[in-house]
Amino acid sequence: DEDYKHFLVTDVFVRVGSSDVNSDDGNDKPGTGWYRTGKAVTAGETDIQAALTLQKGLIFWTAVHMWPQLAAKGKAAVNQLQLGYMPASMYMAAETDTALDEEEAGEVQMWRRAAVQGVLSMKDIGFRPDFNPSGFTYKRREKAAMKKKKSAMDEIAEAS
């Protein structure tokens, strides 16, 4: 079909990495486990690594607000955040979830910075968190609701 546009969806994970970046023994334990954060999508010829490169800041911001376990490591851990991904599943994280178990964590592929080549449309990439962090609201929706004209009944109710 000429209208078909190939796309790829992946599960996205974040963890705090090792604080011992100079570990020579290869036993650098991560600061936390992998936390399922959301889904990333690419369309057309866009590579998933390039899409994650462009969205890394948004994904990290979202993960820290979704998972108190990541934020609890403090500001020093910001530079130790690591991004991972795996083929998409039907599962979406819930606020009550914990980090992945060791078996699942072994399937997570580490993100590697990728050069963004050619013309890339922001319409060809996307990220969606699995759930909204506590207290999170969409500002566009709030503004739209504030601009929404009130009915005469609502105005009367507010006046009383």
Side-chain angles (χ1 to χ4, degrees):
D1 186 8
E2 59 203 40
D3 293 332
Y4 175 76
K5 192 168 192 176
H6 179 74
F7 65 95
L8 174 70
V9 179
T10 60
D11 284 342
V12 178
F13 302 85
V14 174
R15 73 176 179 185
V16 175
S18 171
S19 58
D20 185 8
V21 293
N22 297 319
S23 175
D24 292 331
D25 61 7
N27 291 328
D28 52 336
K29 299 279 185 203
T32 67
W34 288 108
Y35 286 89
R36 185 180 303 271
T37 304
K39 309 274 189 218
V41 65
T42 63
E45 300 298 317
T46 307
D47 178 57
I48 190 63
Q49 296 284 1
L52 292 173
T53 297
L54 292 171
Q55 300 177 103
K56 184 178 81 161
L58 171 64
I59 294 168
F60 283 167
W61 182 91
T62 303
V64 169
H65 287 82
M66 287 173 71
W67 302 111
Q69 300 87 331
L70 298 174
K73 297 292 182 180
K75 288 184 179 181
V78 169
N79 293 331
Q80 298 167 3
L81 289 175
Q82 295 177 337
L83 183 58
Y85 65 98
M86 71 170 57
S89 67
M90 295 299 291
Y91 184 77
M92 293 184 61
E95 292 180 64
T96 56
D97 285 354
T98 59
L100 295 181
D101 61 34
E102 286 187 37
E103 183 179 328
E104 285 180 302
E107 297 175 24
V108 175
Q109 299 174 42
M110 290 289 292
W111 162 82
R112 301 283 180 232
R113 180 175 304 278
V116 179
Q117 300 174 354
V119 177
L120 176 70
S121 170
M122 294 307 282
K123 292 179 182 180
D124 289 342
I125 65 171
F127 169 73
R128 181 192 185 285
D130 281 350
F131 63 87
N132 287 333
S134 180
F136 179 82
T137 57
Y138 292 95
K139 290 184 180 180
R140 280 185 278 166
R141 287 186 182 169
E142 289 176 350
K143 286 181 183 176
M146 289 171 39
K147 290 180 183 177
K148 189 175 182 181
K149 187 172 180 171
K150 295 180 183 179
S151 71
M153 292 302 289
D154 290 337
E155 289 178 10
I156 292 170
E158 281 184 9
S160 5

